[in-house]
């Protein structure tokens, strides 16, 4: 779905939730849509729960940030050595 269609659909569902007093589960990967519409967010990594809460708590959750945005420490000298790459300082 295009972003506008996705936002329109979720806005419609949210209106129905409020009008009818029902709960709806969405699986969504577009975080702008999730943060704009979800009352509760559950974050999974490899099928395991890593966070559960409102948009603010999910945005600030350190584990979520590490899993989805990385730590900036992807490689170590040990990793390079195992892969057969030259060690730091080697020609």
């Amino acid at each position: 779905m295009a972003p506008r269609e996705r936002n329109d659909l979720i806005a419609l569902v949210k209106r129905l939730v409020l009008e009818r007093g029902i709960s709806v589960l969405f699986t969504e990967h577009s975080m702008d849509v999730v943060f704009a519409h979800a009352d509760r967010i559950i974050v999974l990594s490899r099928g395991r729960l890593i966070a559960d809460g409102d948009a603010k708590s999910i945005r600030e959750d350190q584990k979520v940030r590490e899993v989805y945005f990385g730590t900036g420490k992807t490689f170590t000298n040990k990793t390079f050595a195992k892969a057969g790459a030259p060690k730091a300082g080697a020609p």
Side-chain angles (χ1 to χ4, degrees), residues 3-22:
R4 182 180 171 154
E5 292 170 329
R6 187 174 33 234
N7 279 310
D8 289 348
L9 173 63
I10 292 180
L12 170 64
V13 170
K14 183 132 186 174
R15 184 174 53 91
L16 293 172
V17 164
L18 295 172
E19 288 174 359
R20 299 183 183 193
I22 59 175

Side-chain angles (χ1 to χ4, degrees), residues 22-80:
I22 59 175
S23 295
V24 175
L25 171 68
F26 265 97
T27 301
E28 178 58 63
H29 295 94
S30 181
M31 296 312 293
D32 60 326
V33 174
V34 172
F35 288 141
H37 297 287
D39 296 319
R40 178 179 175 202
I41 302 168
I42 297 170
V43 183
L44 303 175
S45 174
R46 298 182 183 225
R48 295 183 189 256
L49 177 70
I50 62 167
D52 180 353
D54 62 12
K56 183 179 186 303
S57 67
I58 297 302
R59 275 190 194 104
E60 296 172 356
D61 188 283
Q62 188 59 38
K63 185 68 173 175
V64 171
R65 295 170 86 61
E66 287 175 10
V67 169
Y68 285 93
F69 302 117
T71 61
K73 299 179 182 179
T74 306
F75 299 104
T76 64
N77 286 341
K78 193 180 228 182
T79 303
F80 284 116

